[in-house]
Amino acid sequence: MAQPRVSLRRLCRLIPSQNSRLYTSRINPHWQSLKCLPRNSQRLLHNSPALASPSGDKVSGQKLREEWAQYSQFPSASKAADFVEGNKVTVHGFLLRRRVKSSKLVFADIQVENGPSVQVTSTFKEDGSPEQLVTKALRAVPLYSPVSVTGTVARLHGNRIDLNLDRIQSLNAFPKDIIVSEGVQFPASARHLQIRFSDPLRSRLLARPQIGFQLRKTLNDLDFTEVETPILFKSTPEGAREFLVPTRRRGLAYALPQSPQQYKQILMSSGIRGYYQFARCFRDEDLRADRQPEFTQLDLEMGFATGEDVMRTVETLVTQLLPALNAQFNVIRQGDDIYPVPKRDLNNGESTENGDHQWPEPTAPFLRLTYDEAMTRFGIDKPDLRIPFELHRVDHVLPAQFVSMITHTEQPIVEAFRIRPQFDGETVTPGTIAEFVDKLMDQLPKPLANNPDGAPAALMFNSKKPLCGLSSLGFEGFDALTSMEAFSDLEDGDVLVFQARKNAPFQGEGSTALGVARTHFYRSFVSAGLLPQSFDLKFLWVVNFPMFTPDDGIDPGQGGQAGFKATHHPFTAPLTEADVEMLATDPLKARADHYDLVVNGVELGGGSRRIHLSSMQEYVMRNILKMTDAGLAQFSHLLEALRAGCPPHAGFALGFDRLVAILTHTDSVRDVIAFPKSMKGEDLTVKSPSKMTAQQLETYHLAIAKKEEVNKQDV
């Protein structure tokens, strides 16, 4: 589908022209001309000088009323059951394409939202006949205009309908100054046009509610209760920065919820056994491709339940979702884009067209890895299991000279992985792979290139070179490395990547440098065609996270004085009785009953068993995290709810935007959100956030601090 380019320099008002007539075989009203407001005009029509002149008021008003009547009065669309060959039907949509075969024969495609494709045919034999007027009308309507089309069903085949045109009505002529061309993107300020003219974007937005519907259906079948919780919450130190909402009451503000976490735990004390909602959440965080300041999560909580119960429930959600989507959608490829389209048979039968791909249908139970195992084998707490290589510790077999070449860290841990590219010996050879790797190393992302423990080092196995291209390891290093099982079968073209890191246990960090490099190299090799692209969905659970993580100075944490913060949030329960004992002796070694759902290197969601005893919750906050009395008082509502006989409970939050992005084959959640924020947190469609006016500042008892004052407070 063509990608459009737009120039939004003029605001057009449509006073109908002959190009915008309502044509049928019986009706042919007279229409007026098309005019445009000046290029810098943003005024409403009634502010136009032409309309404001005394002599033009009555005439212009009459024209607008006639225009409104003829644009707004149109026949209703026919029901699906009416589409039988020989029947006269009406469809609504956009005039997408027009093919003029001759002066007497025109074909056109009508874009019908979430329905079958519609082709209309208009032809005539005699000049002056009603059919000629209809054909003329079809040729006159500007492309991309919304239209109402009435015609006789000539043929039904698959998901396409052929109509013989009887009547076409333009409902709002598409302006000439918006240019539609192949492969050009609209600016973010014209998101409505991007949605309309981008098949992949529009299809993903259409798939999104269907994914939500299937998840909601499963939860309803499992007797969960959907409960809406407030958006206007209060500020509490859960771990992320919040958005504050000032009020007209001096000194008082709401906070937008980071999640419904505290409300859903209170609901457990209210006696609701299974809760869920599609919750809007807000976090004032640094933005990335997979992160927005406001987002949607599928939130759930289960009373009288453990983490095992929650994980089984989530597995049921996922394993029932994928077959349902395969029944409703085809997954197609259009250029570099892969996205789902509905199986659009008119009478809800199965489509005769097959997609290029189907969603894999996983089976439960999903694989489980502990946090330590994931970090050791993959260097990341959300591993992509499609990547066909793991990390291996090799510092014990490497010569000290080689280690000193790749790092200045004292007594480091050195790990390595092996990539085996696919090559045909003609266009892709060991030589071309070596050139590709050299270029890849020269263009490493800054976090890898500037890693304080040293950048990664890459060597390629080549049997025609001394020590097969691994001469920097020396004879002993070469023999020791190739005697390891992981590297005993090296072949020409194999690439070895080495990376050093500090010799320290994992303490809740999300990845190591080599874990990041593993993902970067895999994606780069796939993009270059040196590894096959995989459409598998590799689900797994990562469990047994550290309960606490040392402060990093980035996230505010819980504001305690302990020097560490809750890895998940402060309401997460210890994993075992031994971990409860560890709280008093070495909190950083205590493990949490915390579990993350990961697929293809993306954390889809996380959950935990909660602390359901008020005394234990207060102990963790006061004695372990060393929160102040004022900080603890911010959670008094939750502590009181736990004290009121709250049952054991556990829950989970599924990142709905991320799930939709994964299932619709895009790397960015912006592609599955109708009006996403930019990397600066701005909505460029409506130009938000906007500057506060003096009146607003006065109403909400606010003042803008000078930069010097802010800097003093930061110090």
Side-chain angles (χ1 to χ4, degrees):
M1 163 84 205
Q3 297 286 339
R5 174 170 57 88
V6 64
S7 170
L8 299 177
R9 294 184 177 178
R10 295 184 297 170
L11 174 67
C12 292
R13 65 180 174 89
L14 301 176
I15 299 180
S17 68
Q18 291 184 353
N19 288 341
S20 305
R21 294 179 186 175
L22 167 65
Y23 282 97
T24 71
S25 55
R26 298 171 297 280
I27 303 175
N28 184 8
H30 176 71
W31 287 55
Q32 305 297 323
S33 62
L34 173 69
K35 296 182 180 180
C36 289
L37 294 177
R39 59 178 289 184
N40 61 349
S41 176
Q42 297 294 324
R43 296 170 293 183
L44 297 176
L45 291 179
H46 65 263
N47 289 331
S48 171
L51 296 181
S53 62
S55 61
D57 278 350
K58 293 183 179 180
V59 175
S60 298
Q62 179 63 29
K63 290 179 180 178
L64 288 173
R65 285 191 293 273
E66 292 176 358
E67 173 192 359
W68 174 254
Q70 293 170 352
Y71 271 145
S72 62
Q73 297 176 9
F74 53 93
S76 300
S78 300
K79 298 179 180 179
D82 296 333
F83 285 80
V84 178
E85 291 185 8
N87 277 9
K88 183 171 289 189
V89 295
T90 296
V91 297
H92 301 154
F94 293 97
L95 182 58
L96 190 61
R97 300 180 190 87
R98 182 170 46 226
R99 300 175 297 283
V100 179
K101 295 298 184 180
S102 70
S103 61
K104 296 185 177 182
L105 177 61
V106 180
F107 297 100
D109 296 331
I110 309 299
Q111 179 185 2
V112 179
E113 186 65 35
N114 207 17
S117 60
V118 177
Q119 176 180 276
V120 298
T121 303
S122 185
T123 184
F124 68 95
K125 295 181 179 179
E126 297 181 4
D127 292 342
S129 65
E131 291 80 8
Q132 183 200 19
L133 295 178
V134 175
T135 302
K136 184 178 180 181
L138 176 58
R139 297 182 63 173
V141 176
L143 285 178
Y144 317 119
S145 299
V147 293
S148 173
V149 171
T150 300
T152 303
V153 178
R155 187 184 177 195
L156 297 173
H157 45 110
N159 62 352
R160 200 183 93 181
I161 303 170
D162 288 347
L163 297 182
N164 291 330
L165 184 64
D166 293 330
R167 179 178 185 265
I168 184 167
Q169 177 182 357
S170 173
L171 303 177
N172 193 350
F174 191 79
K176 295 180 179 179
D177 63 332
I178 299 179
I179 308 301
V180 179
S181 60
E182 183 71 28
V184 180
Q185 297 289 322
F186 280 108
S189 58
R191 182 70 170 180
H192 60 293
L193 294 174
Q194 189 66 43
I195 293 172
R196 180 164 158 194
F197 289 103
S198 170
D199 281 352
L201 176 57
R202 189 175 60 258
S203 295
R204 289 179 176 120
L205 293 178
L206 290 174
R208 179 184 174 112
Q210 294 304 315
I211 295 171
F213 171 81
Q214 292 299 329
L215 294 171
R216 181 178 271 111
K217 180 179 182 300
T218 300
L219 287 168
N220 288 340
D221 291 343
L222 293 173
D223 293 328
F224 278 72
T225 301
E226 185 170 9
V227 180
E228 294 182 354
T229 55
I231 290 295
L232 295 177
F233 185 44
K234 64 178 289 187
S235 178
T236 59
E238 291 185 38
R241 286 189 296 269
E242 302 165 313
F243 288 99
L244 294 180
V245 181
T247 72
R248 288 176 291 137
R249 299 170 63 187
R250 183 182 296 273
L252 297 180
Y254 297 105
L256 300 180
Q258 300 175 37
S259 76
Q261 180 63 44
Q262 296 177 59
Y263 278 121
K264 67 179 181 179
Q265 289 193 245
I266 293 171
L267 283 172
M268 294 299 99
S269 190
S270 74
I272 292 180
R273 294 286 293 267
Y275 140 93
Y276 83 93
Q277 71 168 317
F278 284 84
R280 297 293 288 169
C281 304
F282 307 85
R283 296 177 189 173
D284 188 9
E285 297 178 310
D286 296 331
L287 303 183
R288 300 192 302 257
D290 63 342
R291 182 179 290 175
Q292 289 275 290
E294 57 176 316
F295 57 93
T296 302
Q297 69 183 32
L298 174 55
D299 204 51
L300 62 91
E301 198 79 9
M302 298 170 61
F304 298 93
T306 66
E308 292 288 337
D309 299 316
V310 172
M311 284 189 277
R312 283 195 295 269
T313 299
V314 173
E315 289 174 350
T316 299
L317 283 173
V318 173
T319 54
Q320 292 190 12
L321 171 64
L322 275 304
L325 294 181
N326 278 327
Q328 296 180 55
F329 292 91
N330 287 320
V331 180
I332 66 170
R333 180 188 289 271
Q334 184 185 76
D336 294 332
D337 273 307
I338 301 173
Y339 57 93
V341 295
K343 294 182 176 180
R344 298 174 297 185
D345 184 73
L346 182 65
N347 295 309
N348 297 320
E350 291 189 5
S351 172
T352 57
E353 295 184 8
N354 295 319
D356 298 305
H357 307 281
Q358 273 200 321
W359 285 287
E361 298 179 5
T363 57
F366 297 161
L367 173 70
R368 295 190 189 186
L369 296 175
T370 67
Y371 166 77
D372 282 335
E373 185 180 5
M375 293 296 294
T376 300
R377 292 175 56 187
F378 307 105
I380 194 167
D381 63 359
K382 44 181 182 290
D384 187 344
L385 299 185
R386 297 173 304 169
I387 301 177
F389 44 86
E390 299 184 13
L391 313 188
H392 301 277
R393 185 168 178 175
V394 295
D395 51 276
H396 60 290
V397 301
L398 296 178
Q401 183 179 2
F402 177 77
V403 174
S404 66
M405 291 168 57
I406 65 173
T407 184
H408 296 296
T409 301
E410 294 292 332
Q411 297 182 333
I413 290 175
V414 181
E415 296 161 315
F417 60 76
R418 184 264 308 272
I419 308 174
R420 174 162 292 169
Q422 58 181 15
F423 60 94
D424 53 19
E426 296 178 3
T427 58
V428 180
T429 66
T432 59
I433 294 172
E435 293 176 3
F436 172 77
V437 173
D438 287 343
K439 183 177 180 181
L440 189 61
M441 296 300 292
D442 290 338
Q443 299 176 350
L444 286 174
K446 287 185 179 180
L448 290 177
N450 301 330
N451 177 30
D453 293 323
L459 302 175
M460 195 188 79
F461 190 91
N462 187 339
S463 60
K464 296 180 180 180
K465 292 187 175 183
L467 284 182
C468 299
L470 308 183
S471 56
S472 56
L473 301 181
F475 287 101
E476 292 184 4
F478 176 84
D479 290 339
L481 182 71
T482 55
S483 66
M484 293 179 61
E485 182 179 355
F487 304 103
S488 62
D489 60 343
L490 294 176
E491 298 178 359
D492 282 350
D494 285 359
V495 178
L496 304 179
V497 180
F498 300 85
Q499 176 71 61
R501 63 179 175 87
K502 290 181 175 62
N503 193 343
F506 301 118
Q507 292 188 313
E509 60 267 39
S511 63
T512 66
L514 192 59
V516 174
R518 172 178 176 267
T519 302
H520 177 68
F521 273 73
Y522 170 72
R523 292 178 177 174
S524 299
F525 272 65
V526 170
S527 297
L530 299 176
L531 285 175
Q533 186 175 14
S534 172
F535 297 99
D536 288 342
L537 293 174
K538 298 288 189 179
F539 289 92
L540 75 147
W541 292 105
V542 179
V543 299
N544 299 4
F545 283 81
M547 194 166 177
F548 304 105
T549 301
D551 285 333
D552 56 10
I554 300 176
D555 292 325
Q558 290 75 48
Q561 303 301 313
F564 52 80
K565 60 190 176 185
T567 302
H568 190 206
H569 53 54
F571 320 117
T572 302
L575 181 63
T576 66
E577 291 184 7
D579 294 297
V580 175
E581 296 295 328
M582 197 68 71
L583 293 178
T585 58
D586 196 346
L588 286 177
K589 291 185 178 179
R591 296 169 302 164
D593 196 349
H594 167 192
Y595 34 86
D596 280 354
L597 179 64
V598 176
V599 61
N600 295 1
V602 176
E603 177 195 331
L604 281 184
S608 64
R609 181 168 57 90
R610 323 300 189 187
I611 298 172
H612 72 286
L613 299 181
S614 179
S615 56
M616 174 59 81
Q617 183 66 81
E618 184 173 350
Y619 171 74
V620 168
M621 290 179 169
R622 186 188 301 278
N623 297 82
I624 307 303
L625 291 170
K626 299 190 183 305
M627 295 172 60
T628 63
D629 289 342
L632 204 62
Q634 292 178 293
F635 296 100
S636 60
H637 54 279
L638 177 62
L639 294 172
E640 186 60 27
L642 298 180
R643 191 178 70 87
C646 185
H649 56 282
F652 187 78
L654 179 72
F656 185 62
D657 303 315
R658 292 183 185 180
L659 174 66
V660 176
I662 286 287
L663 294 182
T664 59
H665 299 277
T666 178
D667 293 330
S668 175
V669 296
R670 291 181 178 85
D671 294 333
V672 299
I673 298 173
F675 299 102
K677 300 293 189 292
S678 71
M679 292 295 289
K680 294 182 179 180
E682 299 171 336
D683 185 335
L684 298 176
T685 302
V686 299
K687 309 297 188 294
S688 70
S690 56
K691 290 185 178 180
M692 298 186 69
T693 65
Q695 182 178 357
Q696 289 171 331
L697 291 171
E698 181 181 358
T699 299
Y700 294 104
H701 312 289
L702 300 174
I704 306 298
K706 296 181 180 179
K707 289 184 178 180
E708 303 81 45
E709 296 174 355
V710 173
N711 292 336
K712 287 181 181 179
Q713 293 176 2
D714 291 341
V715 173

